[in-house]
Amino acid sequence: MEKKNIISKINDAFCKVEKTITWIAFAIMLGLLLIQVFCRYLFEMPLAWAEEMVRYTYIAVSFLGAAVALRERTHISIDILPSILENKIKDPAKKEFWLECLDIFANLVQLVFFIILSIWMLEYNIDLDAKNQITTANQWPMWLMCLPVTVSCMLMAFHALLNALEDTLEMIAVKKGKAVA
């Protein structure tokens, strides 16, 4: 069994909490959706508050799920550059090194993107709060409904950073292992 470093353990712990919160939010969303369907079609009395909550819970689940997918590296990716590198570089050690460098670079690009997105979302939430915008049906503060997106963007930046550090540590360990062997 592979021994995990502290960065992997922290990344996995955050991911486990995110998965739990995502599943709980999904269950709440499903429950609200079922209540809405029963009230609309059985009692002919639609619930506007439930419909609105389902919408915002769906957004929260989607963005938290995106953070989990970033940690687990299960997002769809375009592998044109790695395919080109695999065909151009014949030496397996060099090929592995450059592919790992490319992974680290991709993680750093993601990190920069999610930091910028987090800053924008934080400014947007502050603006929503300053304007006292509220939701239509529930009359809740709109910044509260956008908060899961902001937190998810921050979590994605965090995972991108930790993924880059994991890849870097793994690359160093492999390099040391080859130097010793």
Side-chain angles (χ1 to χ4, degrees), residues 118-132:
S118 296
I119 292 168
W120 284 346
M121 285 304 301
L122 197 56
E123 289 172 350
Y124 181 67
N125 277 6
I126 291 168
D127 190 45
L128 286 174
D129 186 38
K131 292 178 180 175
N132 291 320

Side-chain angles (χ1 to χ4, degrees), residues 66-95:
V68 170
L70 187 73
R71 164 57 190 132
E72 294 180 343
R73 303 169 193 248
T74 54
H75 277 291
I76 296 171
S77 62
I78 300 170
D79 64 347
I80 295 171
L81 197 53
S83 296
I84 291 171
L85 283 177
E86 283 182 353
N87 292 333
K88 296 287 182 189
I89 302 172
K90 301 299 179 202
D91 181 25
K94 284 184 180 179
K95 184 187 303 186

Side-chain angles (χ1 to χ4, degrees), residues 96-116:
E96 187 67 28
F97 172 78
W98 285 108
L99 288 174
E100 288 177 12
C101 286
L102 193 59
D103 282 344
I104 293 168
F105 177 73
N107 286 321
L108 293 175
V109 169
Q110 290 174 355
L111 174 63
V112 169
F113 174 76
F114 288 119
I115 286 173
I116 291 169

